[in-house]
Amino acid sequence: MNMKIDPWSALNIDDYSKLFDEFGIQPFDDMVREIENPHKFMSRKIIFGHRNYDRITDAMNNNKPFSVMSGFMPSGKIHLGHKMVMEEIIWHQQQGADAFVGIADREAHAVRGMSWERCSDIGINEYIISLIALGFEPNGHIYFQSKSEQVKDLAFELSSKANYSELSAIYGFTGETNVAHMLSAVTQSADILHPQLEEYGGPKPTVIPVGSDQDPHIRLTRGLGHKMNMFKIEGREDKKGNHYLSIRSKAAPEEALKEIAERIPGQTKLFEGHVDVLDATDFDTLMKIVQDVELEFGGYAFVPPSSTYHRFMSGLQGGKMSSSVPESYISLTEDPKGAGKKVKRAKTGGRMTLEEQKKLGGEPEKCSVYEMFLFHLVDDDEELAQIYTECRDGTRMCGHCKALAAERTEKFLKEHQELREVAKDRLDEYGL
């Protein structure tokens, strides 16, 4: 199939299962049962896929350190799609994650040609204020890429492991792509990995909640993190069929391998470039030893970042949601009554006539108004199920749904905008 995903252009995916086959994204269904109080995006299958989220559930269920990180390019109005990511960040923060939010002004400057001043204005007045209003706690970290020395220094380090061929294969870059655009991609990797720096507690599982269009950043980062690490642990088998673990050096100092061999309990064999662990050793214990030694010898010992992937909301008029078409989306800063009118004009899954609606029932799967209920406007699962059933049975008419969705949209925006006013006075709590 050779599907190409581009993080910088609109993407419409009709069959999300293709992402499982093409890019190795795993279905999220099995993860939900491991989570005590899953977010509604999880239980409603809005979050459909993941990479290594089991590391996050293990951390949550066993009170281990973990972090959550995502970011926003400050190039336009904040809308309900951004709200989804913010809610996922905040939910993970509430589960105990150290939370990081990056404002990708380097990306906006390189890819969209935005001025630094405009990036700052949009970043604060659109994204950060709404993030705080939605419940992001001040013990988290909010930063601009251009002002984070840690992110910029790490991006420089990571760029030594990236090359044009790799970036071209992942992103489709060509000879016409400017270097700043390429650097912005590597900076995204630095965003994702920097929660594992020593000043934030060192290596730990980190989850990146994103739409599937952002998966190229995840794949690049996992590859670069692997290249940066001094060691890898492999499962091996000897001539007699016995299985054992082998710690392989990737240009690590010879002394580091010796140190690892000395710290591992049980029988080991030290060779040039690797240490074989011949006795049964708990993998987590072994990993901790390797990480500790790598850090002592100046390495990073990055844990491959985890990720979750959510479905895209469609536009209010059907098709793609587009920032260039205001009628297709609801901005969190627009006039509530105007937003309500947009909802009343939205495309539904209703039939052509009232008679057909009563006879055949509606199609909520094709309805942008039902999608508003599913994603944002109905928290109670029983109420949502009732709306769905009545629509399918033909006992609920589109006008009723539109009126209810418009009313709840106006109520949410009014309350959110009041909370935004409070958030403006709290920026100093977040170091802004």
Side-chain angles (χ1 to χ4, degrees), residues 19 32 72 85 101-102 149 151 184 216 222 228 248 338 355 397:
L19 298 172
V32 178
F72 304 92
V85 177
V101 175
E149 296 303 319
V151 168
S184 75
R222 287 168 65 93
M228 292 292 289
R248 320 294 289 190
E355 183 180 350
M397 301 300 113

Side-chain angles (χ1 to χ4, degrees), residues 5-6 9-14 16 19 46 48 81 84 210-214 309-315 319-321 371 375:
I5 299 178
D6 175 0
S9 63
L11 180 68
N12 188 29
I13 297 177
D14 297 319
Y16 286 95
L19 298 172
I46 293 168
F48 68 89
M84 289 177 62
V210 291
S212 49
D213 60 330
Q214 300 299 304
Y309 302 92
H310 56 252
R311 289 165 44 195
F312 295 111
M313 286 189 69
S314 57
K320 300 176 184 177
M321 185 187 297
E371 203 173 56
F375 281 67

Side-chain angles (χ1 to χ4, degrees), residues 15-35 41-42 45-54 57 307-310:
D15 185 359
Y16 286 95
S17 66
K18 294 177 181 178
L19 298 172
F20 302 148
D21 299 329
E22 186 78 4
F23 299 112
I25 293 173
Q26 298 297 309
F28 196 79
D29 293 353
D30 292 341
M31 289 288 100
V32 178
R33 64 176 64 100
E34 302 295 327
I35 303 167
F41 293 161
M42 299 173 174
K45 299 187 177 182
I46 293 168
I47 293 176
F48 68 89
H50 75 99
R51 290 187 191 274
N52 292 127
Y53 195 75
D54 54 299
T57 58
S307 49
T308 58
Y309 302 92
H310 56 252

Side-chain angles (χ1 to χ4, degrees), residues 3-247:
M3 178 190 288
K4 181 67 70 175
I5 299 178
D6 175 0
W8 299 287
S9 63
L11 180 68
N12 188 29
I13 297 177
D14 297 319
D15 185 359
Y16 286 95
S17 66
K18 294 177 181 178
L19 298 172
F20 302 148
D21 299 329
E22 186 78 4
F23 299 112
I25 293 173
Q26 298 297 309
F28 196 79
D29 293 353
D30 292 341
M31 289 288 100
V32 178
R33 64 176 64 100
E34 302 295 327
I35 303 167
E36 185 174 351
N37 295 301
H39 191 279
K40 68 181 179 183
F41 293 161
M42 299 173 174
S43 57
R44 294 179 181 181
K45 299 187 177 182
I46 293 168
I47 293 176
F48 68 89
H50 75 99
R51 290 187 191 274
N52 292 127
Y53 195 75
D54 54 299
R55 292 192 179 109
I56 304 302
T57 58
D58 176 65
M60 288 193 296
N61 293 335
N62 295 288
N63 295 314
K64 297 177 182 178
F66 73 105
S67 57
V68 59
M69 190 280 148
S70 202
F72 304 92
M73 181 166 65
S75 59
K77 290 287 187 181
I78 181 172
H79 53 64
L80 291 177
H82 300 117
K83 173 179 172 282
M84 289 177 62
V85 177
M86 291 181 177
E87 288 185 336
E88 292 174 59
I89 294 168
I90 292 167
W91 182 84
H92 281 97
Q93 187 181 40
Q94 292 169 346
Q95 309 311 306
D98 193 11
F100 294 77
V101 175
I103 303 299
D105 56 343
R106 290 183 114 191
E107 182 184 19
H109 185 71
V111 180
R112 301 281 189 252
M114 307 277 293
S115 70
W116 296 113
E117 294 78 11
R118 185 72 175 139
C119 287
S120 177
D121 177 60
I122 294 175
I124 292 173
N125 292 309
E126 288 286 331
Y127 295 90
I128 293 175
I129 287 174
S130 274
L131 175 69
I132 296 170
L134 287 169
F136 188 84
E137 294 291 342
N139 61 355
H141 315 270
I142 304 174
Y143 67 93
F144 284 80
Q145 288 176 330
S146 65
K147 297 177 182 177
S148 173
E149 296 303 319
Q150 296 159 325
V151 168
K152 289 189 287 187
D153 288 347
L154 183 55
F156 182 80
E157 293 287 339
L158 293 174
S159 66
S160 69
K161 301 295 183 181
N163 58 59
Y164 174 76
S165 296
E166 183 176 21
L167 295 177
S168 177
I170 293 175
Y171 296 106
F173 288 162
T174 69
E176 300 300 314
T177 306
N178 66 63
V179 175
H181 192 164
M182 297 181 199
L183 179 58
S184 75
V186 179
T187 303
Q188 299 266 357
S189 294
D191 286 324
I192 292 169
L193 291 172
H194 95 280
Q196 299 190 55
L197 294 177
E198 186 177 1
E199 43 265 64
Y200 298 116
K204 67 178 77 65
T206 303
V207 61
I208 321 299
V210 291
S212 49
D213 60 330
Q214 300 299 304
D215 186 56
H217 293 315
I218 306 299
R219 284 183 278 131
L220 175 66
T221 305
R222 287 168 65 93
L224 292 178
H226 176 74
K227 291 178 182 179
M228 292 292 289
N229 288 350
M230 290 182 177
F231 304 99
K232 61 180 178 179
I233 303 176
E234 296 181 346
R236 297 269 173 148
E237 183 179 338
D238 64 21
K239 295 178 181 179
K240 296 180 179 180
N242 298 313
H243 295 274
Y244 64 96
L245 294 173
S246 181
I247 302 163

